[in-house]
Amino acid sequence: NLVTVHKDASLAEAAKLMKDERIGALVVADKSNSILGIITDRDIVLSGVAEWKPLDTKVSEIMSKDVLRVPKESGVADVIEKMEKWEVRRAVIVDKNNHACGIVSSDDLIQLIGNELQSLGKLVSHQIADEGMAKAV
């Protein structure tokens, strides 16, 4: 799910929103909902708290401005390849108008691939079991 925060929101507001939504990143947007950046829980800790910045510091002061954007039609392998190339853990999913419509993290991709592998494993197990039954008859 995509959760956005306004560029003028404070670090405290962003942190509270992340806590309430149980997420680790927010897309930073302006009033027209254009993507300006991304802020993560890690950004708040390392670039905010650890640097002794006040909690009323604006999100725009510490957000990452370079945001990996991937079309929503992209396949998993393409997203992983781009994330690896950019050396990031998150990508913003955009529609054909380049508007944010989602966010994906490396953790999301690992879970997705894990679920697919589990399903594939069950399929193979059933096929092997069926083959064994056919040989026994």
Side-chain angles (χ1 to χ4, degrees), residues 97-116:
N97 298 317
N98 206 31
H99 292 119
C101 57
I103 190 166
V104 65
S105 71
S106 54
D107 292 347
D108 297 330
L109 294 169
I110 289 170
Q111 186 175 13
L112 175 69
I113 292 168
N115 290 341
E116 294 298 319

Side-chain angles (χ1 to χ4, degrees), residues 36-38 63-68 86 88:
L36 302 176
I38 190 169
M63 69 182 185
S64 299
K65 293 178 182 153
D66 289 331
V67 178
L68 173 57
W86 277 57
V88 295

Side-chain angles (χ1 to χ4, degrees), residues 9-16 39 44 47-49 53-59 62:
S10 69
L11 297 183
E13 291 168 324
K16 175 86 167 76
I39 187 164
I44 293 172
S47 299
V49 176
K53 293 197 173 155
L55 291 178
D56 63 353
T57 299
K58 291 182 181 180
V59 164
I62 68 164

Side-chain angles (χ1 to χ4, degrees), residues 5-19 26 28 39-63:
V5 65
H6 191 269
K7 66 182 180 117
D8 293 330
S10 69
L11 297 183
E13 291 168 324
K16 175 86 167 76
L17 185 56
M18 286 181 201
K19 179 182 181 244
L26 301 166
V28 182
I39 187 164
T40 67
D41 47 5
R42 184 174 169 87
D43 294 331
I44 293 172
V45 171
L46 298 180
S47 299
V49 176
E51 296 293 323
W52 299 98
K53 293 197 173 155
L55 291 178
D56 63 353
T57 299
K58 291 182 181 180
V59 164
S60 59
E61 292 182 38
I62 68 164
M63 69 182 185

